[in-house]
């Protein structure tokens, strides 16, 4: 992070974690970068910027340095449920279904509904670190559009139905919103995720 600000979260044992702090906890805020280094020469091969295009491309992100376990980031420390501990941010897993644990996800909960997720990983084909794009066809009634973004609502917090394939729903109708139906596949040839988002307006 570039010149981050430190934001400690001071909650007591009886305090409920606000929904945004489930992805933040005690955190640093600032321009965030992920770099791939040559482990022999220690030279930087390439760097990706973690910008939030769902907030007009804001070049700032919140990265927890201490957070309660049981939410979105992995915490290995043995603690009581209300205690904060250091998370493993780069928890490498096989998200794209290729059998190799080369990716990790970042999360941003801005409220109690809605979870922005993005995936960063190592591309063997390119020998670079990449932030995977999500190419969506968006269907809302008779309107059809396309969107390419590295961020997708809940996607990388969902368990795939099979390796590289997701189908799930996000119900915002209780908040005067819509029922969002997602269907996403990993496109290995283009190193991206592709799919369809069907938005059904609430009554």
């Amino acid at each position: 992070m570039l010149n981050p600000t430190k934001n400690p979260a001071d909650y007591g044992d009886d305090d409920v974690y606000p929904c945004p702090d489930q992805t933040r906890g005690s955190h640093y805020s600032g321009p965030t970068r992920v770099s791939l280094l040559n482990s022999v020469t220690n030279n930087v091969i390439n760097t990706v910027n973690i910008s939030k295009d769902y907030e007009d491309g804001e070049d700032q992100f919140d990265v927890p340095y201490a957070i309660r376990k049981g939410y979105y980031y992995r915490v290995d420390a043995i603690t009581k449920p209300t205690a904060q501990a250091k998370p493993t941010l780069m928890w490498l897993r096989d998200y794209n279904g290729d059998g190799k644990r080369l990716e990790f996800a970042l999360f941003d909960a801005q409220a109690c509904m809605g979870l922005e997720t993005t995936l960063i990983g190592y591309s063997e084909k390119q020998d670079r670190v990449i932030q995977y794009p999500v190419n969506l066809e968006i269907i809302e009634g008779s309107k059809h559009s396309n969107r390419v973004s590295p961020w997708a609502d809940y996607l990388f917090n969902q368990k795939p139905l099979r390796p590289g394939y997701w189908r799930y729903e996000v119900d915002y109708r209780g908040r005067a919103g819509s029922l969002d139906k997602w269907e996403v596949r990993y496109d290995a040839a283009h190193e991206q995720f592709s799919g369809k988002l069907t938005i059904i307006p609430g009554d």
Side-chain angles (χ1 to χ4, degrees):
M1 301 188 77
L2 308 178
N3 301 314
T5 59
K6 192 173 185 178
N7 304 280
D10 186 17
Y11 295 113
D13 288 347
D14 296 328
D15 294 332
V16 177
Y17 237 14
C19 294
D21 278 341
Q22 294 176 8
T23 61
R24 291 172 176 81
S26 294
H27 62 275
Y28 294 110
S29 293
T32 303
R33 310 288 185 258
V34 179
S35 295
L36 177 68
L37 277 72
N38 183 314
S39 61
V40 176
T41 65
N42 212 33
N43 292 330
V44 174
I45 295 173
N46 78 298
T47 298
V48 296
N49 293 5
I50 309 302
S51 60
K52 299 190 287 190
D53 65 356
Y54 52 93
E55 289 187 354
D56 298 323
E58 181 184 9
D59 188 14
Q60 179 166 306
F61 194 69
D62 295 332
V63 176
Y65 62 84
I67 198 167
R68 290 177 180 174
K69 64 168 53 181
Y71 293 105
Y72 302 103
Y73 288 108
R74 182 181 179 89
V75 176
D76 290 317
I78 300 174
T79 65
K80 58 185 178 181
T82 56
Q84 294 193 137
K86 183 179 179 180
T88 301
L89 297 176
M90 292 185 178
W91 183 32
L92 296 179
R93 300 168 61 193
D94 177 18
Y95 279 89
N96 58 19
D98 66 358
K100 300 177 182 179
R101 296 183 177 184
L102 298 175
E103 303 88 42
F104 70 95
L106 295 175
F107 309 98
D108 184 18
Q110 297 179 301
C112 289
M113 282 296 294
L115 178 70
E116 294 291 345
T117 70
T118 193
L119 192 68
I120 298 99
Y122 173 64
S123 165
E124 293 182 302
K125 182 187 300 185
Q126 302 179 52
D127 189 26
R128 296 169 64 85
V129 62
I130 61 175
Q131 188 175 13
Y132 288 88
V134 181
N135 189 341
L136 284 178
E137 176 189 7
I138 303 175
I139 302 170
E140 188 171 5
S142 60
K143 298 178 181 178
H144 289 239
S145 61
N146 286 89
R147 183 186 75 198
V148 180
S149 169
W151 296 91
D153 201 15
Y154 287 94
L155 177 59
F156 300 114
N157 189 55
Q158 294 288 319
K159 184 177 181 179
L161 296 182
R162 58 179 182 269
Y165 175 73
W166 293 258
R167 188 171 65 237
Y168 62 97
E169 297 181 354
V170 183
D171 194 347
Y172 291 106
R173 290 175 297 183
R175 298 169 181 260
S178 58
L179 176 65
D180 296 356
K181 297 186 175 184
W182 291 75
E183 186 174 9
V184 179
R185 293 175 173 82
Y186 179 61
D187 178 354
H190 298 94
E191 293 188 301
Q192 69 175 13
F193 294 84
S194 300
K196 179 171 64 176
L197 168 58
T198 303
I199 300 174
I200 302 173
D203 295 332

